[in-house]
Amino acid sequence: MADLSVKYMGLDLSNPLIVSSSSLTGTVDKVKLCEDSGAGAVVLKSLFEEQIESEAEQIDDESWPYPHPEAFDYMRQMGMRLGQDEYLKLIEGAVQALSIPVIASLNCVSPRWWNSYAEKLAGAGADGIELNISIMPRDYNQRAAEIEKVVIKIVESISKRVNLPIAVKIGPYFTSLPNLAVGLRRVGAEALVLFNRFYQFDIDIDKVELAPGYRFSSSQEIHLPLRWIAILYNQAGCDLSASTGVHDGFGVVKQLLAGAAAVQICSTLFINGLEQIGKMIEEVRAGWKSITSIQLPTSKGS
Ligand SMILES: Cc1cc2nc3c(=O)[nH]c(=O)nc-3n(C[C@H](O)[C@H](O)[C@H](O)COP(=O)(O)O)c2cc1C
């Protein structure tokens, strides 16, 4: 049988399928089920920066650099709330219970909270950290370059403090992704996760109020990350992990052919159940020959 093992952000994975951060990875029992279903690694549910803020009771609209109320809705409607200590317990429990890599996830919108906490993640035994950085530009005074600077600053300040591999999960809305990718790699990113899929808003026209949009991606959404994995593969100089729109094993094969080191899945597991992981692995196995038969140019960065 084909050996599907890959290396991703310095970690050894038995196969390239990673269960991405969501409520599917929010308890030890749930991540254990992911492992038992065949996942190569798991990214734990994110701890949100706003959660730290509210725990510290220091929410101050004036000093809040990048208002991100979306995260509150995201937490309330899509995810689950975890406090800092609970999160460390989740990591410890998951690392104890699982033999596959366990990647902790922090949602960041500014560099100010995470430095010392990130060290605690390492202490709790996480194999890596994924920084889910989502800064929503809502003010016309904010320049694109300033936002990119904040993204880089967050990664730089955490990578200086923590001796763990760091992956950075970003959204697709950047003007020059290759330039940002190289900047992130230079300050310590070992991998980029392309892309986060933001909380979808809708409007209920009967109640005339905001409503949550459909939570899950469709397989049609694979094309955007596929394009950027292909563009960045030979430039970023770090591993790339595809996220959004991968619903079957053939999608995984496509992303690997484009240059991804690993592939993250979420919506397809909510829709089809965790047994989908096994089915996808079989489909990857079927396509593995085409992956190993091509010689991708060596990944390099400037
Ligand atoms: C219910 C739900 C909760 C999620 N929670 C998180 C989260 O806490 N942190 C995060 O980085 N991404 C979160 N995501 C985004 C997923 O990890 C993933 O990036 C996104 O759904 C796109 O992948 P997919 O097309 O395979 O679903 C969540 C997605 C869903 C559907």
PDB file of all heavy atoms in Angstrom, residues 200-235:
ATOM      1  N   GLN A 200     -19.976  34.008   7.363  1.00  0.00           N
ATOM      2  CA  GLN A 200     -20.818  34.561   6.301  1.00  0.00           C
ATOM      3  C   GLN A 200     -22.022  35.290   6.910  1.00  0.00           C
ATOM      4  O   GLN A 200     -22.742  34.733   7.733  1.00  0.00           O
ATOM      5  CB  GLN A 200     -21.347  33.435   5.404  1.00  0.00           C
ATOM      6  CG  GLN A 200     -20.283  32.476   4.910  1.00  0.00           C
ATOM      7  CD  GLN A 200     -19.435  33.067   3.810  1.00  0.00           C
ATOM      8  OE1 GLN A 200     -19.953  33.498   2.788  1.00  0.00           O
ATOM      9  NE2 GLN A 200     -18.134  33.099   4.013  1.00  0.00           N
ATOM     10  N   PHE A 201     -22.214  36.521   6.453  1.00  0.00           N
ATOM     11  CA  PHE A 201     -23.374  37.285   6.916  1.00  0.00           C
ATOM     12  C   PHE A 201     -24.516  37.206   5.914  1.00  0.00           C
ATOM     13  O   PHE A 201     -24.290  37.101   4.710  1.00  0.00           O
ATOM     14  CB  PHE A 201     -23.014  38.762   7.060  1.00  0.00           C
ATOM     15  CG  PHE A 201     -22.360  39.069   8.367  1.00  0.00           C
ATOM     16  CD1 PHE A 201     -21.069  39.515   8.409  1.00  0.00           C
ATOM     17  CD2 PHE A 201     -23.069  38.924   9.545  1.00  0.00           C
ATOM     18  CE1 PHE A 201     -20.454  39.794   9.618  1.00  0.00           C
ATOM     19  CE2 PHE A 201     -22.463  39.208  10.754  1.00  0.00           C
ATOM     20  CZ  PHE A 201     -21.154  39.644  10.791  1.00  0.00           C
ATOM     21  N   ASP A 202     -25.713  37.308   6.432  1.00  0.00           N
ATOM     22  CA  ASP A 202     -26.875  37.422   5.563  1.00  0.00           C
ATOM     23  C   ASP A 202     -27.847  38.402   6.223  1.00  0.00           C
ATOM     24  O   ASP A 202     -27.611  38.837   7.353  1.00  0.00           O
ATOM     25  CB  ASP A 202     -27.525  36.030   5.406  1.00  0.00           C
ATOM     26  CG  ASP A 202     -28.350  35.944   4.135  1.00  0.00           C
ATOM     27  OD1 ASP A 202     -28.543  36.983   3.479  1.00  0.00           O
ATOM     28  OD2 ASP A 202     -28.818  34.843   3.813  1.00  0.00           O
ATOM     29  N   ILE A 203     -28.906  38.726   5.512  1.00  0.00           N
ATOM     30  CA  ILE A 203     -29.937  39.580   6.099  1.00  0.00           C
ATOM     31  C   ILE A 203     -31.276  38.870   5.985  1.00  0.00           C
ATOM     32  O   ILE A 203     -31.646  38.388   4.908  1.00  0.00           O
ATOM     33  CB  ILE A 203     -29.990  40.955   5.373  1.00  0.00           C
ATOM     34  CG1 ILE A 203     -28.687  41.724   5.624  1.00  0.00           C
ATOM     35  CG2 ILE A 203     -31.204  41.758   5.830  1.00  0.00           C
ATOM     36  CD1 ILE A 203     -28.616  43.057   4.920  1.00  0.00           C
ATOM     37  N   ASP A 204     -31.943  38.768   7.113  1.00  0.00           N
ATOM     38  CA  ASP A 204     -33.284  38.198   7.125  1.00  0.00           C
ATOM     39  C   ASP A 204     -34.232  39.320   6.718  1.00  0.00           C
ATOM     40  O   ASP A 204     -34.447  40.274   7.473  1.00  0.00           O
ATOM     41  CB  ASP A 204     -33.597  37.677   8.539  1.00  0.00           C
ATOM     42  CG  ASP A 204     -34.969  37.038   8.629  1.00  0.00           C
ATOM     43  OD1 ASP A 204     -35.894  37.507   7.919  1.00  0.00           O
ATOM     44  OD2 ASP A 204     -35.111  36.080   9.410  1.00  0.00           O
ATOM     45  N   ILE A 205     -34.803  39.232   5.491  1.00  0.00           N
ATOM     46  CA  ILE A 205     -35.585  40.376   5.001  1.00  0.00           C
ATOM     47  C   ILE A 205     -36.985  40.435   5.616  1.00  0.00           C
ATOM     48  O   ILE A 205     -37.638  41.459   5.541  1.00  0.00           O
ATOM     49  CB  ILE A 205     -35.664  40.411   3.448  1.00  0.00           C
ATOM     50  CG1 ILE A 205     -36.244  39.106   2.897  1.00  0.00           C
ATOM     51  CG2 ILE A 205     -34.309  40.711   2.838  1.00  0.00           C
ATOM     52  CD1 ILE A 205     -36.474  39.166   1.387  1.00  0.00           C
ATOM     53  N   ASP A 206     -37.431  39.341   6.249  1.00  0.00           N
ATOM     54  CA  ASP A 206     -38.725  39.414   6.942  1.00  0.00           C
ATOM     55  C   ASP A 206     -38.571  40.134   8.267  1.00  0.00           C
ATOM     56  O   ASP A 206     -39.337  41.028   8.602  1.00  0.00           O
ATOM     57  CB  ASP A 206     -39.284  38.001   7.175  1.00  0.00           C
ATOM     58  CG  ASP A 206     -39.623  37.337   5.852  1.00  0.00           C
ATOM     59  OD1 ASP A 206     -40.137  38.062   4.965  1.00  0.00           O
ATOM     60  OD2 ASP A 206     -39.347  36.138   5.677  1.00  0.00           O
ATOM     61  N   LYS A 207     -37.518  39.731   9.004  1.00  0.00           N
ATOM     62  CA  LYS A 207     -37.299  40.377  10.308  1.00  0.00           C
ATOM     63  C   LYS A 207     -36.503  41.672  10.175  1.00  0.00           C
ATOM     64  O   LYS A 207     -36.344  42.405  11.140  1.00  0.00           O
ATOM     65  CB  LYS A 207     -36.530  39.416  11.230  1.00  0.00           C
ATOM     66  CG  LYS A 207     -37.314  38.173  11.603  1.00  0.00           C
ATOM     67  CD  LYS A 207     -36.508  37.342  12.598  1.00  0.00           C
ATOM     68  CE  LYS A 207     -37.181  36.035  12.885  1.00  0.00           C
ATOM     69  NZ  LYS A 207     -36.222  35.000  13.340  1.00  0.00           N
ATOM     70  N   VAL A 208     -35.953  41.912   8.979  1.00  0.00           N
ATOM     71  CA  VAL A 208     -35.076  43.055   8.727  1.00  0.00           C
ATOM     72  C   VAL A 208     -33.976  43.117   9.787  1.00  0.00           C
ATOM     73  O   VAL A 208     -33.805  44.091  10.521  1.00  0.00           O
ATOM     74  CB  VAL A 208     -35.833  44.399   8.656  1.00  0.00           C
ATOM     75  CG1 VAL A 208     -34.942  45.476   8.053  1.00  0.00           C
ATOM     76  CG2 VAL A 208     -37.085  44.253   7.826  1.00  0.00           C
ATOM     77  N   GLU A 209     -33.249  42.005   9.870  1.00  0.00           N
ATOM     78  CA  GLU A 209     -32.116  41.980  10.794  1.00  0.00           C
ATOM     79  C   GLU A 209     -31.017  41.079  10.232  1.00  0.00           C
ATOM     80  O   GLU A 209     -31.265  40.278   9.310  1.00  0.00           O
ATOM     81  CB  GLU A 209     -32.542  41.496  12.188  1.00  0.00           C
ATOM     82  CG  GLU A 209     -33.130  40.111  12.209  1.00  0.00           C
ATOM     83  CD  GLU A 209     -33.656  39.713  13.605  1.00  0.00           C
ATOM     84  OE1 GLU A 209     -34.153  40.594  14.330  1.00  0.00           O
ATOM     85  OE2 GLU A 209     -33.546  38.521  13.942  1.00  0.00           O
ATOM     86  N   LEU A 210     -29.819  41.239  10.804  1.00  0.00           N
ATOM     87  CA  LEU A 210     -28.699  40.410  10.355  1.00  0.00           C
ATOM     88  C   LEU A 210     -28.960  38.957  10.708  1.00  0.00           C
ATOM     89  O   LEU A 210     -29.529  38.647  11.750  1.00  0.00           O
ATOM     90  CB  LEU A 210     -27.408  40.854  11.043  1.00  0.00           C
ATOM     91  CG  LEU A 210     -26.721  42.088  10.479  1.00  0.00           C
ATOM     92  CD1 LEU A 210     -25.513  42.428  11.331  1.00  0.00           C
ATOM     93  CD2 LEU A 210     -26.316  41.867   9.035  1.00  0.00           C
ATOM     94  N   ALA A 211     -28.530  38.086   9.834  1.00  0.00           N
ATOM     95  CA  ALA A 211     -28.729  36.652  10.074  1.00  0.00           C
ATOM     96  C   ALA A 211     -27.450  35.929   9.684  1.00  0.00           C
ATOM     97  O   ALA A 211     -26.694  36.421   8.831  1.00  0.00           O
ATOM     98  CB  ALA A 211     -29.892  36.151   9.236  1.00  0.00           C
ATOM     99  N   PRO A 212     -27.175  34.771  10.286  1.00  0.00           N
ATOM    100  CA  PRO A 212     -25.982  34.026   9.857  1.00  0.00           C
ATOM    101  C   PRO A 212     -26.189  33.459   8.459  1.00  0.00           C
ATOM    102  O   PRO A 212     -27.287  33.029   8.119  1.00  0.00           O
ATOM    103  CB  PRO A 212     -25.877  32.899  10.887  1.00  0.00           C
ATOM    104  CG  PRO A 212     -27.223  32.813  11.532  1.00  0.00           C
ATOM    105  CD  PRO A 212     -27.897  34.128  11.371  1.00  0.00           C
ATOM    106  N   GLY A 213     -25.136  33.495   7.652  1.00  0.00           N
ATOM    107  CA  GLY A 213     -25.203  32.879   6.331  1.00  0.00           C
ATOM    108  C   GLY A 213     -24.958  31.382   6.446  1.00  0.00           C
ATOM    109  O   GLY A 213     -24.774  30.864   7.556  1.00  0.00           O
ATOM    110  N   TYR A 214     -24.955  30.687   5.325  1.00  0.00           N
ATOM    111  CA  TYR A 214     -24.718  29.248   5.344  1.00  0.00           C
ATOM    112  C   TYR A 214     -23.298  29.007   5.854  1.00  0.00           C
ATOM    113  O   TYR A 214     -22.347  29.640   5.382  1.00  0.00           O
ATOM    114  CB  TYR A 214     -24.913  28.662   3.935  1.00  0.00           C
ATOM    115  CG  TYR A 214     -24.821  27.161   3.895  1.00  0.00           C
ATOM    116  CD1 TYR A 214     -25.699  26.368   4.634  1.00  0.00           C
ATOM    117  CD2 TYR A 214     -23.859  26.519   3.123  1.00  0.00           C
ATOM    118  CE1 TYR A 214     -25.617  24.995   4.612  1.00  0.00           C
ATOM    119  CE2 TYR A 214     -23.766  25.132   3.090  1.00  0.00           C
ATOM    120  CZ  TYR A 214     -24.650  24.374   3.839  1.00  0.00           C
ATOM    121  OH  TYR A 214     -24.558  23.011   3.817  1.00  0.00           O
ATOM    122  N   ARG A 215     -23.147  28.081   6.786  1.00  0.00           N
ATOM    123  CA  ARG A 215     -21.857  27.947   7.484  1.00  0.00           C
ATOM    124  C   ARG A 215     -20.795  27.244   6.674  1.00  0.00           C
ATOM    125  O   ARG A 215     -19.605  27.422   6.891  1.00  0.00           O
ATOM    126  CB  ARG A 215     -22.049  27.134   8.775  1.00  0.00           C
ATOM    127  CG  ARG A 215     -22.976  27.785   9.751  1.00  0.00           C
ATOM    128  CD  ARG A 215     -22.892  27.147  11.104  1.00  0.00           C
ATOM    129  NE  ARG A 215     -23.204  25.724  11.108  1.00  0.00           N
ATOM    130  CZ  ARG A 215     -22.990  24.931  12.160  1.00  0.00           C
ATOM    131  NH1 ARG A 215     -22.434  25.417  13.252  1.00  0.00           N
ATOM    132  NH2 ARG A 215     -23.302  23.652  12.125  1.00  0.00           N
ATOM    133  N   PHE A 216     -21.228  26.377   5.758  1.00  0.00           N
ATOM    134  CA  PHE A 216     -20.256  25.475   5.150  1.00  0.00           C
ATOM    135  C   PHE A 216     -19.878  25.887   3.734  1.00  0.00           C
ATOM    136  O   PHE A 216     -20.668  26.492   3.018  1.00  0.00           O
ATOM    137  CB  PHE A 216     -20.810  24.046   5.162  1.00  0.00           C
ATOM    138  CG  PHE A 216     -21.215  23.598   6.541  1.00  0.00           C
ATOM    139  CD1 PHE A 216     -22.461  23.059   6.786  1.00  0.00           C
ATOM    140  CD2 PHE A 216     -20.338  23.761   7.611  1.00  0.00           C
ATOM    141  CE1 PHE A 216     -22.832  22.674   8.061  1.00  0.00           C
ATOM    142  CE2 PHE A 216     -20.695  23.380   8.892  1.00  0.00           C
ATOM    143  CZ  PHE A 216     -21.952  22.833   9.121  1.00  0.00           C
ATOM    144  N   SER A 217     -18.672  25.484   3.353  1.00  0.00           N
ATOM    145  CA  SER A 217     -18.210  25.778   1.987  1.00  0.00           C
ATOM    146  C   SER A 217     -18.831  24.779   1.022  1.00  0.00           C
ATOM    147  O   SER A 217     -19.422  23.779   1.430  1.00  0.00           O
ATOM    148  CB  SER A 217     -16.683  25.659   1.918  1.00  0.00           C
ATOM    149  OG  SER A 217     -16.296  24.299   2.071  1.00  0.00           O
ATOM    150  N   SER A 218     -18.672  25.053  -0.269  1.00  0.00           N
ATOM    151  CA  SER A 218     -19.033  24.056  -1.290  1.00  0.00           C
ATOM    152  C   SER A 218     -17.740  23.638  -1.990  1.00  0.00           C
ATOM    153  O   SER A 218     -16.720  24.330  -1.898  1.00  0.00           O
ATOM    154  CB  SER A 218     -20.000  24.657  -2.304  1.00  0.00           C
ATOM    155  OG  SER A 218     -19.278  25.406  -3.253  1.00  0.00           O
ATOM    156  N   SER A 219     -17.814  22.540  -2.721  1.00  0.00           N
ATOM    157  CA  SER A 219     -16.605  22.056  -3.391  1.00  0.00           C
ATOM    158  C   SER A 219     -16.172  23.011  -4.511  1.00  0.00           C
ATOM    159  O   SER A 219     -15.036  22.955  -4.980  1.00  0.00           O
ATOM    160  CB  SER A 219     -16.825  20.649  -3.942  1.00  0.00           C
ATOM    161  OG  SER A 219     -17.921  20.661  -4.819  1.00  0.00           O
ATOM    162  N   GLN A 220     -17.082  23.912  -4.924  1.00  0.00           N
ATOM    163  CA  GLN A 220     -16.721  24.905  -5.958  1.00  0.00           C
ATOM    164  C   GLN A 220     -15.703  25.916  -5.434  1.00  0.00           C
ATOM    165  O   GLN A 220     -15.052  26.613  -6.208  1.00  0.00           O
ATOM    166  CB  GLN A 220     -17.974  25.678  -6.405  1.00  0.00           C
ATOM    167  CG  GLN A 220     -18.992  24.826  -7.123  1.00  0.00           C
ATOM    168  CD  GLN A 220     -18.372  24.091  -8.296  1.00  0.00           C
ATOM    169  OE1 GLN A 220     -17.669  24.699  -9.098  1.00  0.00           O
ATOM    170  NE2 GLN A 220     -18.578  22.794  -8.382  1.00  0.00           N
ATOM    171  N   GLU A 221     -15.583  25.997  -4.120  1.00  0.00           N
ATOM    172  CA  GLU A 221     -14.697  27.020  -3.542  1.00  0.00           C
ATOM    173  C   GLU A 221     -13.230  26.597  -3.528  1.00  0.00           C
ATOM    174  O   GLU A 221     -12.373  27.332  -3.052  1.00  0.00           O
ATOM    175  CB  GLU A 221     -15.168  27.388  -2.122  1.00  0.00           C
ATOM    176  CG  GLU A 221     -16.512  28.086  -2.136  1.00  0.00           C
ATOM    177  CD  GLU A 221     -17.050  28.371  -0.737  1.00  0.00           C
ATOM    178  OE1 GLU A 221     -16.326  28.931   0.087  1.00  0.00           O
ATOM    179  OE2 GLU A 221     -18.225  28.018  -0.482  1.00  0.00           O
ATOM    180  N   ILE A 222     -12.964  25.419  -4.054  1.00  0.00           N
ATOM    181  CA  ILE A 222     -11.576  24.935  -4.043  1.00  0.00           C
ATOM    182  C   ILE A 222     -10.664  25.766  -4.958  1.00  0.00           C
ATOM    183  O   ILE A 222      -9.458  25.849  -4.752  1.00  0.00           O
ATOM    184  CB  ILE A 222     -11.509  23.436  -4.459  1.00  0.00           C
ATOM    185  CG1 ILE A 222     -10.136  22.859  -4.136  1.00  0.00           C
ATOM    186  CG2 ILE A 222     -11.833  23.246  -5.924  1.00  0.00           C
ATOM    187  CD1 ILE A 222     -10.028  21.369  -4.397  1.00  0.00           C
ATOM    188  N   HIS A 223     -11.256  26.404  -5.965  1.00  0.00           N
ATOM    189  CA  HIS A 223     -10.421  26.991  -7.021  1.00  0.00           C
ATOM    190  C   HIS A 223      -9.565  28.173  -6.549  1.00  0.00           C
ATOM    191  O   HIS A 223      -8.461  28.365  -7.035  1.00  0.00           O
ATOM    192  CB  HIS A 223     -11.293  27.371  -8.215  1.00  0.00           C
ATOM    193  CG  HIS A 223     -12.056  26.189  -8.739  1.00  0.00           C
ATOM    194  ND1 HIS A 223     -11.442  25.163  -9.406  1.00  0.00           N
ATOM    195  CD2 HIS A 223     -13.355  25.835  -8.621  1.00  0.00           C
ATOM    196  CE1 HIS A 223     -12.344  24.231  -9.703  1.00  0.00           C
ATOM    197  NE2 HIS A 223     -13.503  24.615  -9.234  1.00  0.00           N
ATOM    198  N   LEU A 224     -10.085  28.953  -5.620  1.00  0.00           N
ATOM    199  CA  LEU A 224      -9.311  30.109  -5.142  1.00  0.00           C
ATOM    200  C   LEU A 224      -8.034  29.655  -4.404  1.00  0.00           C
ATOM    201  O   LEU A 224      -6.922  30.059  -4.780  1.00  0.00           O
ATOM    202  CB  LEU A 224     -10.183  31.007  -4.261  1.00  0.00           C
ATOM    203  CG  LEU A 224      -9.525  32.283  -3.760  1.00  0.00           C
ATOM    204  CD1 LEU A 224      -9.321  33.288  -4.891  1.00  0.00           C
ATOM    205  CD2 LEU A 224     -10.395  32.934  -2.672  1.00  0.00           C
ATOM    206  N   PRO A 225      -8.155  28.783  -3.388  1.00  0.00           N
ATOM    207  CA  PRO A 225      -6.903  28.321  -2.759  1.00  0.00           C
ATOM    208  C   PRO A 225      -6.004  27.546  -3.727  1.00  0.00           C
ATOM    209  O   PRO A 225      -4.783  27.649  -3.650  1.00  0.00           O
ATOM    210  CB  PRO A 225      -7.359  27.437  -1.600  1.00  0.00           C
ATOM    211  CG  PRO A 225      -8.817  27.232  -1.762  1.00  0.00           C
ATOM    212  CD  PRO A 225      -9.347  28.318  -2.635  1.00  0.00           C
ATOM    213  N   LEU A 226      -6.612  26.822  -4.661  1.00  0.00           N
ATOM    214  CA  LEU A 226      -5.810  26.054  -5.618  1.00  0.00           C
ATOM    215  C   LEU A 226      -4.902  26.996  -6.424  1.00  0.00           C
ATOM    216  O   LEU A 226      -3.713  26.745  -6.609  1.00  0.00           O
ATOM    217  CB  LEU A 226      -6.754  25.293  -6.561  1.00  0.00           C
ATOM    218  CG  LEU A 226      -6.179  24.183  -7.412  1.00  0.00           C
ATOM    219  CD1 LEU A 226      -5.587  23.074  -6.556  1.00  0.00           C
ATOM    220  CD2 LEU A 226      -7.271  23.587  -8.322  1.00  0.00           C
ATOM    221  N   ARG A 227      -5.474  28.104  -6.864  1.00  0.00           N
ATOM    222  CA  ARG A 227      -4.693  29.082  -7.636  1.00  0.00           C
ATOM    223  C   ARG A 227      -3.520  29.616  -6.805  1.00  0.00           C
ATOM    224  O   ARG A 227      -2.396  29.673  -7.247  1.00  0.00           O
ATOM    225  CB  ARG A 227      -5.584  30.258  -8.025  1.00  0.00           C
ATOM    226  CG  ARG A 227      -4.784  31.438  -8.589  1.00  0.00           C
ATOM    227  CD  ARG A 227      -5.666  32.649  -8.689  1.00  0.00           C
ATOM    228  NE  ARG A 227      -6.749  32.339  -9.635  1.00  0.00           N
ATOM    229  CZ  ARG A 227      -7.061  33.100 -10.668  1.00  0.00           C
ATOM    230  NH1 ARG A 227      -6.399  34.191 -10.894  1.00  0.00           N
ATOM    231  NH2 ARG A 227      -8.045  32.770 -11.463  1.00  0.00           N
ATOM    232  N   TRP A 228      -3.830  29.969  -5.539  1.00  0.00           N
ATOM    233  CA  TRP A 228      -2.789  30.627  -4.744  1.00  0.00           C
ATOM    234  C   TRP A 228      -1.733  29.649  -4.239  1.00  0.00           C
ATOM    235  O   TRP A 228      -0.568  30.020  -4.076  1.00  0.00           O
ATOM    236  CB  TRP A 228      -3.421  31.448  -3.616  1.00  0.00           C
ATOM    237  CG  TRP A 228      -4.013  32.695  -4.195  1.00  0.00           C
ATOM    238  CD1 TRP A 228      -5.327  32.963  -4.418  1.00  0.00           C
ATOM    239  CD2 TRP A 228      -3.291  33.813  -4.719  1.00  0.00           C
ATOM    240  NE1 TRP A 228      -5.468  34.184  -5.032  1.00  0.00           N
ATOM    241  CE2 TRP A 228      -4.238  34.731  -5.220  1.00  0.00           C
ATOM    242  CE3 TRP A 228      -1.929  34.143  -4.816  1.00  0.00           C
ATOM    243  CZ2 TRP A 228      -3.872  35.949  -5.811  1.00  0.00           C
ATOM    244  CZ3 TRP A 228      -1.563  35.366  -5.394  1.00  0.00           C
ATOM    245  CH2 TRP A 228      -2.529  36.234  -5.878  1.00  0.00           C
ATOM    246  N   ILE A 229      -2.134  28.410  -4.021  1.00  0.00           N
ATOM    247  CA  ILE A 229      -1.125  27.402  -3.663  1.00  0.00           C
ATOM    248  C   ILE A 229      -0.150  27.284  -4.847  1.00  0.00           C
ATOM    249  O   ILE A 229       1.071  27.270  -4.667  1.00  0.00           O
ATOM    250  CB  ILE A 229      -1.786  26.024  -3.387  1.00  0.00           C
ATOM    251  CG1 ILE A 229      -2.711  26.090  -2.173  1.00  0.00           C
ATOM    252  CG2 ILE A 229      -0.726  24.930  -3.256  1.00  0.00           C
ATOM    253  CD1 ILE A 229      -2.113  25.869  -0.831  1.00  0.00           C
ATOM    254  N   ALA A 230      -0.710  27.221  -6.064  1.00  0.00           N
ATOM    255  CA  ALA A 230       0.144  27.069  -7.247  1.00  0.00           C
ATOM    256  C   ALA A 230       1.063  28.279  -7.415  1.00  0.00           C
ATOM    257  O   ALA A 230       2.251  28.138  -7.728  1.00  0.00           O
ATOM    258  CB  ALA A 230      -0.718  26.872  -8.487  1.00  0.00           C
ATOM    259  N   ILE A 231       0.524  29.483  -7.187  1.00  0.00           N
ATOM    260  CA  ILE A 231       1.346  30.690  -7.360  1.00  0.00           C
ATOM    261  C   ILE A 231       2.431  30.784  -6.289  1.00  0.00           C
ATOM    262  O   ILE A 231       3.575  31.136  -6.565  1.00  0.00           O
ATOM    263  CB  ILE A 231       0.460  31.963  -7.335  1.00  0.00           C
ATOM    264  CG1 ILE A 231      -0.406  32.014  -8.592  1.00  0.00           C
ATOM    265  CG2 ILE A 231       1.316  33.230  -7.206  1.00  0.00           C
ATOM    266  CD1 ILE A 231      -1.418  33.155  -8.607  1.00  0.00           C
ATOM    267  N   LEU A 232       2.058  30.427  -5.054  1.00  0.00           N
ATOM    268  CA  LEU A 232       3.008  30.634  -3.945  1.00  0.00           C
ATOM    269  C   LEU A 232       3.995  29.492  -3.765  1.00  0.00           C
ATOM    270  O   LEU A 232       5.033  29.670  -3.121  1.00  0.00           O
ATOM    271  CB  LEU A 232       2.249  30.838  -2.625  1.00  0.00           C
ATOM    272  CG  LEU A 232       1.425  32.110  -2.519  1.00  0.00           C
ATOM    273  CD1 LEU A 232       0.815  32.227  -1.138  1.00  0.00           C
ATOM    274  CD2 LEU A 232       2.279  33.336  -2.806  1.00  0.00           C
ATOM    275  N   TYR A 233       3.670  28.334  -4.327  1.00  0.00           N
ATOM    276  CA  TYR A 233       4.484  27.148  -4.034  1.00  0.00           C
ATOM    277  C   TYR A 233       5.975  27.408  -4.204  1.00  0.00           C
ATOM    278  O   TYR A 233       6.786  27.069  -3.350  1.00  0.00           O
ATOM    279  CB  TYR A 233       4.048  25.966  -4.924  1.00  0.00           C
ATOM    280  CG  TYR A 233       5.038  24.835  -4.826  1.00  0.00           C
ATOM    281  CD1 TYR A 233       5.081  24.053  -3.675  1.00  0.00           C
ATOM    282  CD2 TYR A 233       5.978  24.619  -5.828  1.00  0.00           C
ATOM    283  CE1 TYR A 233       6.018  23.057  -3.536  1.00  0.00           C
ATOM    284  CE2 TYR A 233       6.917  23.628  -5.694  1.00  0.00           C
ATOM    285  CZ  TYR A 233       6.939  22.850  -4.546  1.00  0.00           C
ATOM    286  OH  TYR A 233       7.879  21.883  -4.399  1.00  0.00           O
ATOM    287  N   ASN A 234       6.303  28.019  -5.319  1.00  0.00           N
ATOM    288  CA  ASN A 234       7.724  28.167  -5.618  1.00  0.00           C
ATOM    289  C   ASN A 234       8.320  29.480  -5.109  1.00  0.00           C
ATOM    290  O   ASN A 234       9.449  29.819  -5.425  1.00  0.00           O
ATOM    291  CB  ASN A 234       7.927  28.038  -7.131  1.00  0.00           C
ATOM    292  CG  ASN A 234       9.317  27.588  -7.470  1.00  0.00           C
ATOM    293  OD1 ASN A 234       9.993  26.990  -6.646  1.00  0.00           O
ATOM    294  ND2 ASN A 234       9.758  27.896  -8.671  1.00  0.00           N
ATOM    295  N   GLN A 235       7.515  30.237  -4.340  1.00  0.00           N
ATOM    296  CA  GLN A 235       8.014  31.544  -3.899  1.00  0.00           C
ATOM    297  C   GLN A 235       8.025  31.718  -2.390  1.00  0.00           C
ATOM    298  O   GLN A 235       8.861  32.436  -1.859  1.00  0.00           O
ATOM    299  CB  GLN A 235       7.116  32.657  -4.452  1.00  0.00           C
ATOM    300  CG  GLN A 235       7.026  32.710  -5.947  1.00  0.00           C
ATOM    301  CD  GLN A 235       6.321  33.985  -6.373  1.00  0.00           C
ATOM    302  OE1 GLN A 235       6.795  35.080  -6.084  1.00  0.00           O
ATOM    303  NE2 GLN A 235       5.188  33.842  -7.031  1.00  0.00           N
TER     304      GLN A 235
END
